[in-house]
Amino acid sequence: MSDIKKLFDLTGKVVLVSGASSGLGADAALAYAEAGADVAVLARRVNKLEELKQRIQSETGRKVIAVECDVTSEDSIKNAVQTVLNQFGKIDILLNNAGVAVGGSVEKLSLEDWDRVFNTNVRSQFLLAKYVIPGMKDRKYGKIVNIASVNAVVADKDDIFVRHSYNASKAAVKGLTTGMAASYARYGITVNAVGPGLFESEMTAQTLFKSKEFLDSYDRLNPSSRPGQRGELNGTILYLSSDASSYVQGQLIIVDGGGSIV
């Protein structure tokens, strides 16, 4: 294997992916396995995880475990991380992918909805990192990739697309990423974030992709004239998870077809 290929090779690595039961998380879990890693997939929907597990095993031959986990619960996260460590002995890469979006401005959002968004999008990333980082520090190696959003830095002003809690939570992910990167670089741990633009997923299929008005506007304003397609996020995720990004710290890489630059 050439030195360049080794930079992106994940053979021998163990990856934990949260929010892996569908969409971008499931795609990333498969991509990790295709790159040679063994994978632990976490979510609440065990039946979906089992389907993904069977697919990954049949298509890649890699080791996979499916772990039920409610990322809004500290006990559930702590137990899930321990299950992964018991099975694989280590966690080299953490993909903090679990997320949720609720529409509404600060005037209309309920406190319950606000807390649900922050508990899922921010607190879960904090807690997963909290229980994964000690092992990374011991081994002087780790890769943490947090899924943020282009909405960490840009927002929609049309009332039907306003998501103030989502904007705030993803901006918090950006801040958490830079803070952790500064603290843990000395231990051989890199911490970076990915900011997807519009991608079709189980969540967006029921919201944004149902609006022809929104999609037409998105296509018209985006330099690429289309939403992201399945798999187009994997390259960035794998880059930040591999030794190819060994000197990249605290960055938010936006993957949105150029929508945020115009």
Side-chain angles (χ1 to χ4, degrees), residues 69-79 119 123-124 127:
C69 181
D70 176 359
V71 296
T72 67
S73 163
E74 182 174 10
D75 285 343
S76 185
I77 285 175
K78 187 176 181 179
N79 291 336
N119 288 345
R123 194 175 73 170
S124 70
L127 288 171

Side-chain angles (χ1 to χ4, degrees), residues 203-217:
M203 181 171 64
T204 60
Q206 301 303 315
T207 55
L208 300 179
F209 273 83
K210 281 192 170 183
S211 171
K212 185 176 185 303
E213 176 190 359
F214 175 80
L215 291 176
D216 288 346
S217 175

Side-chain angles (χ1 to χ4, degrees), residues 174-195:
K174 181 177 182 294
L176 179 63
T177 298
T178 56
M180 290 197 300
S183 295
Y184 296 113
R186 72 196 72 172
Y187 299 103
I189 301 169
T190 64
V191 187
N192 293 285
V194 180

